[in-house]
Amino acid sequence: MIKRRFGFRGPGSRLGALIVLVVLGLPALARAQVFNPETFTLPNGMEVVVIPNHRVPVVHHMVWYKIGAADEPAGKSGLAHLLEHLMFKGTPTIPPGEFSKIVARNGGQDNAFTSSDFTAYFQSIAKDRLPMVMEMEADRMANLRLSEEDFQTERQVVREERRSRTDNEPGELLSERIGQALWGTHPYKNPIIGWEPELMALTRADALAFYDRYYAPNNAILVVAGDITAAELKPLAERTYGALPRRDTPQRASLRDPLRALPPPAETVITMHHAQVAQPSFSRRYVAPSAAFDPQGMADALEVLDEILGGGSSGRLYKHLVIERGMAVSAGSWYRGEALDWGSFGLYASPRDGVAMADLVAAVDAEVASLLDQGVKADEVDDAKRRLTAGLVYARDSLSEGARALGEALTTGSSVAQVESWPERIKAVTPEQVSAAARAVLGRRDRSVTGFLLPEPRS
């Protein structure tokens, strides 16, 4: 699994009416707003999105599956991520471990990543090698071969990944505990890499059953960005992915499922002492609307709120607590709105030497209380909107960011139209909407979990 941060933070809030973008015939041109994508759908149900960018003869090829850690059967956490690893183990035509080597020998790079709601595979490569990677990716969508020895080896690799990235990282351990407390029975409570006992109990049969259940063209989205048009891509897609038969795949669970409901409201505090902690830290995570599940239309305002509170050195928390008062070495916020179900909003801070944690938390709470009481100012909303939309220049300049934004949106219940209308919606956000969103989310301490990461007490 890899993690990256992108400048573009769409797709934003829910639209009342979605623009119909997918057709079975000729490609349709979406509204010319952000990435100007072209879309079509193969007869087997696979959606295709093309983002033309002809500056260099290179393409970024991605296949997104509408399946992630939140779709795993109960007691089998880590299965989606483990299968992501196993997808590099070969097919009847590609020996185990050769997939990435073939891409590299042709001058390309490849990787994959898993989230709670999706799994994606990608290659960046010269345009004339695109047919090759499309054939390879279509091949492993239908013809994965997995020996027991390869399964055992890769499960051990993932176990070591968990030990190095989670078990030996106190911040990650605390994050897991916060997630459990915040989400209750909702599958977002599970770490993507899985709980170790459940991970080590997974079998080759589990992996193959998950693969057979979800890896089908009608449960996948192809996104290609770069020196290509939909007219050029369509015959390639029809010859490769289009040759795969459509298969029945389960409908994704909805929020009507009792196990995906939020736990009873309760303000929760978790304190973790750990021998590896040298720098104490505070964090608080709130349940928030997502771009796809936003019944009150707050997602865009929450993006602006995040920029006001945590937009780097210009954010209120950093500016007031780090620069002006000298109480913290770091302070900020984040908003995760790209989710099929609920999103989340977070605050964090770390005290400067000599500053008591209780004093820092009181200062953070005072900042939040002031915001909830007095609201936000029109000029800081305008500045935040300018900074957010300025990031589009860099997003358009990158082949991978447009592919990521559209793939993430389409696998989490949003649409191409929502991505393309994001600048217009952000520009339309008002101070009143930001203040209302802040009160709805940050005003619900009973929908939050506060975590303290502290050094081991001295004996």
Side-chain angles (χ1 to χ4, degrees), residues 58 65 87 96 124 141 195 225 230 247 271 274 324 340 373 445 458:
V58 173
Y65 291 94
M87 287 292 286
S124 291
M141 182 185 290
W195 304 110
R247 289 191 290 107
T271 301
H274 198 286
E324 296 176 359
L340 188 65
D373 180 54
R445 289 282 288 273
R458 295 180 179 176

Side-chain angles (χ1 to χ4, degrees), residues 41-329:
T41 302
L42 297 174
N44 60 13
M46 187 172 187
E47 298 175 68
V48 183
V49 180
V50 185
I51 309 171
N53 184 332
H54 302 289
R55 291 185 304 163
V56 291
V58 173
V59 293
H60 189 71
H61 169 262
M62 302 192 79
V63 172
W64 295 74
Y65 291 94
K66 300 175 189 175
I67 183 69
D71 301 289
E72 294 160 344
K76 297 188 182 298
S77 64
L79 182 54
H81 173 248
L82 176 58
L83 179 58
E84 173 216 309
H85 278 241
L86 297 171
M87 287 292 286
F88 292 85
K89 291 304 179 184
T91 69
T93 56
I94 299 178
E98 285 297 309
F99 192 100
S100 295
K101 293 177 183 177
I102 293 171
V103 174
R105 284 199 296 270
N106 283 274
Q109 296 179 325
D110 75 319
N111 212 324
F113 52 93
T114 305
S115 84
S116 292
D117 295 318
F118 53 76
T119 306
Y121 303 82
F122 66 86
Q123 301 85 34
S124 291
I125 202 161
K127 177 183 178 180
D128 62 358
R129 300 294 193 273
L130 178 60
M132 179 195 74
V133 295
M134 291 177 70
E135 289 172 2
M136 293 169 61
E137 199 65 78
D139 179 32
R140 68 176 173 178
M141 182 185 290
N143 301 310
L144 177 66
R145 292 294 181 267
L146 182 60
S147 69
E148 182 65 31
E149 180 181 3
D150 284 339
F151 173 83
Q152 295 287 344
T153 299
E154 204 60 34
R155 189 179 62 179
Q156 191 61 34
V157 168
V158 175
R159 182 187 198 182
E160 293 304 319
E161 181 181 330
R162 180 184 161 87
R163 288 179 174 175
S164 66
R165 296 186 180 182
T166 302
D167 297 343
N168 290 318
E169 293 291 338
E172 290 299 316
L173 289 173
L174 177 61
S175 179
E176 283 190 344
R177 295 294 299 274
I178 290 175
Q180 282 182 294
L182 188 69
W183 297 115
T185 60
H186 191 288
Y188 285 172
K189 72 181 185 301
N190 292 324
I192 293 164
I193 201 166
W195 304 110
E196 179 161 344
E198 294 184 358
L199 171 65
M200 296 311 295
L202 295 175
T203 66
R204 172 178 174 272
D206 290 330
L208 289 175
F210 200 70
Y211 172 76
D212 290 338
R213 191 173 172 86
Y214 292 109
Y215 277 57
N218 45 299
N219 200 42
I221 300 164
L222 170 65
V223 185
V224 182
D227 187 21
I228 194 161
T229 64
E232 294 175 283
L233 183 69
K234 191 173 183 183
L236 291 174
E238 290 173 337
R239 179 168 59 83
T240 53
Y241 299 104
L244 304 179
R246 179 188 183 94
R247 289 191 290 107
D248 291 337
T249 56
Q251 188 171 4
R252 303 189 88 169
S254 74
L255 286 170
R256 291 188 294 274
D257 183 336
L259 292 178
R260 298 177 86 91
L262 294 175
E267 184 177 351
T268 306
V269 177
I270 298 174
T271 301
M272 177 179 287
H273 293 271
H274 198 286
Q276 295 182 26
V277 174
Q279 178 64 55
S281 62
F282 147 86
S283 61
R284 182 174 295 143
R285 195 181 306 175
Y286 299 81
V287 175
S290 68
F293 183 67
D294 187 21
Q296 296 178 288
M298 292 183 175
D300 297 327
L302 287 171
E303 290 200 58
V304 177
L305 172 66
D306 176 36
E307 188 65 25
I308 290 171
L309 275 177
S313 59
S314 301
R316 280 192 183 192
L317 293 174
Y318 190 92
K319 185 177 178 181
H320 294 168
L321 303 181
V322 177
I323 298 175
E324 296 176 359
R325 301 180 64 180
M327 298 182 67
V329 294

